[in-house]
Amino acid sequence: FRRVLFRSSEMSYRSICVGLLRGDVRNEATLEAAIRLAAERDAHLTGMLLIPPLNIPVYAAIPLPDDIMADYYDDADKEADGLRAVFEDGCRSAGVTSNEWRGGAQNIVQSLQNISPVTDLFVLTQHSGGDYGWLIGEASLALGTPILAIPEAGNFESIGKTVLLAWTPRRECARAVRDAMPLLQDAGRVIVFRGNAGDDGRDVELGAHLARHGVKVEIKHVDTDEVSIGNAVLNAVTDESCDMVVMGAYGHSRIRELAFGGVTREVLEHMTVPTLLSH
């Protein structure tokens, strides 16, 4: 047998996909963030326009005329062509030489699932309501690939310099740590944030694990009955001047979170900095 030696190397994102939402005023901000990440990591960048079905009121008992449906998708194709030009110009300016544009995707989650096996990271815009309010949550459960959600408001000249890692010893959080490792390794400061947990030593174990990967880590505990853990995370982002959050998504079932609330739901609805989610 021939012996093959593998040389260990720093983890990285080599394939990034940015999904832009039809008619979204935040598309260029989301695209800018994705291009910056791809340029910093010499990654391949794929872009696509995500097109939802035409919103038909539930009380409409008759199908829409074919010409209305055709106009809707024709307009979406024109928007995709315009965004392609912005995408290609941005990649050219940033030196992202490995890139491709996939046009418009009408079945949103299925289209993202199709490309998920060859994607290391998705970049999508957060939407707390409206036609796209479901997207980040649905995608985080369906794709098996981490998602970097870009907030609905704000400009982000830096992403991942000071990272808040919202931690609890559960499967989805362990997955988030592994998925975010390239960003954690590059950060100047990573805060392991744990709420209402006591001192069981699990945070110290995680800190040691991250340090072995070259992560500059510190640990912060918060005990509070005054606000929820989700709000405590959001407060810590401001208090510690973080420019990114890493967290596991949906530790409880999504139905339970929708009914009773939860950390994922609170952060998704009120996030102020880019947030990486894994499930």
Side-chain angles (χ1 to χ4, degrees):
F1 295 95
R2 184 174 61 182
R3 178 179 294 177
V4 179
L5 298 178
F6 293 93
R7 184 175 61 186
S8 63
S9 61
E10 184 180 274
M11 299 172 65
S12 187
Y13 302 122
R14 305 301 299 162
S15 298
I16 297 172
C17 177
V18 56
L20 306 172
L21 304 173
R22 183 179 189 273
D24 187 3
V25 297
R26 293 291 288 170
N27 276 338
E28 292 197 21
T30 301
L31 184 54
E32 182 180 331
I35 290 174
R36 187 185 306 119
L37 283 169
E40 290 171 350
R41 299 175 183 285
D42 194 25
H44 178 81
L45 182 62
T46 299
M48 63 172 64
L49 179 67
L50 307 177
I51 307 169
L54 185 58
N55 189 11
I56 303 172
V58 295
Y59 54 78
I62 59 174
L64 291 178
D66 290 343
D67 58 340
I68 293 180
M69 297 290 290
D71 287 347
Y72 176 79
Y73 289 109
D74 285 346
D75 289 345
D77 288 339
K78 292 175 183 176
E79 183 175 352
D81 290 340
L83 283 171
R84 177 175 186 168
V86 176
F87 172 83
E88 291 176 345
D89 287 345
C91 288
R92 190 179 304 110
S93 297
V96 180
T97 57
S98 179
N99 63 79
E100 63 177 306
W101 178 259
R102 293 206 171 194
Q106 294 183 20
N107 188 327
I108 292 178
V109 173
Q110 184 62 57
S111 296
L112 295 175
Q113 283 179 320
N114 289 344
I115 195 175
S116 181
V118 293
T119 300
D120 297 318
L121 179 70
F122 284 102
V123 181
L124 303 172
T125 306
Q126 168 235 13
H127 279 265
S128 56
D131 291 342
Y132 291 103
W134 53 271
L135 178 57
I136 298 293
E138 196 74 24
S140 67
L141 294 173
L143 300 181
T145 302
I147 296 168
L148 183 65
I150 306 299
E152 289 178 296
N155 297 311
F156 309 102
E157 295 182 0
S158 68
I159 298 176
K161 304 302 182 186
T162 301
V163 179
L164 187 82
L165 172 55
W167 167 253
T168 189
R170 299 175 65 102
R171 185 199 66 82
E172 65 279 359
C173 290
R175 175 70 179 268
V177 169
R178 289 191 291 272
D179 285 343
M181 192 63 75
L183 290 163
L184 299 178
Q185 289 173 324
D186 287 347
R189 182 179 177 221
V190 174
I191 302 160
V192 175
F193 181 88
R194 194 172 177 198
N196 295 343
D199 188 10
D200 60 4
R202 303 292 294 275
D203 314 280
V204 175
E205 289 180 344
L206 178 63
H209 170 71
L210 291 172
R212 287 191 287 271
H213 284 275
V215 177
K216 303 174 186 68
V217 63
E218 56 192 79
I219 296 170
K220 183 178 181 66
H221 287 167
V222 170
D223 293 314
T224 177
D225 295 323
E226 297 179 359
V227 298
S228 66
I229 297 300
N231 278 324
V233 168
L234 294 166
N235 291 340
V237 168
T238 300
D239 294 344
E240 302 293 341
S241 300
C242 297
D243 60 5
M244 182 179 173
V245 172
V246 171
M247 63 183 293
Y250 296 109
H252 302 296
S253 73
R254 190 173 179 218
I255 292 175
R256 180 178 173 185
E257 291 227 2
L258 289 172
F260 302 106
V263 176
T264 310
R265 180 181 175 185
E266 284 183 292
V267 173
L268 278 177
E269 288 181 348
H270 304 291
M271 57 190 278
T272 56
V273 297
T275 299
L276 187 143
L277 301 108
S278 292
H279 176 74

